[in-house]
Amino acid sequence: MDALLDLLNSRPLVNGEEHDALGDPDQGRRWAREHGGKGTLAELALLRQARDLLQDVARGASSPAALAPLLEGVHQIPEVTPAGLRWTLTTPPQARLAVEMVLAWAALEQELPGRLRPCANQECRLFLLDRSRANRARWCSMAVCGNRAKARRHYERTR
Ligand SMILES: [Zn+2]
């Protein structure tokens, strides 16, 4: 889940400028390795593709069916071991990390439906995962976007 949120939030706006953690090959490959990948260029290309599709789906701009091409050639193989049945995921090697991200998203949609959402700040590109009981979180961070919205409301009220 954390890796998925990291991926969704890997292209933030910083002072109005986009900073893409996967944009530069060296930096992107390092990002992939830090998240359990091999750090190849083919893997990075698939990760970027997965991120862009998952962002569209999480914003409600795309149907989850858009993720289907990422799961091509992916299988789960059952194996009976002394400890019981075990499922092994097989993917093309360069696709493993991107596939894991799609599967993490699917698991999240099952366990916490509707809890992954874009930050309500229009000028923010980050996503949040609301684990709270109340399910009313709107900001990626109260300290940044929440306070900014509060200040704006205050300014509009007092004007
Ligand atoms: Zn935000």
Side-chain angles (χ1 to χ4, degrees), residues 119 124 140 145:
C119 176
C124 176
C140 63
C145 290

Side-chain angles (χ1 to χ4, degrees), residues 79-97:
E79 190 191 347
V80 183
T81 72
L85 185 69
R86 193 174 64 191
W87 290 91
T88 307
L89 185 70
T90 67
T91 69
Q94 72 277 12
R96 170 165 286 274
L97 193 52

Side-chain angles (χ1 to χ4, degrees), residues 20-35 37-45 47-48:
D20 186 349
L22 308 181
D24 165 78
D26 286 337
Q27 207 192 341
R29 289 160 67 184
R30 202 179 321 125
W31 191 100
R33 277 197 298 270
E34 282 166 8
H35 290 82
K38 295 255 183 288
T40 63
L41 282 176
E43 180 181 67
L44 179 59
L47 259 185
R48 279 198 209 110

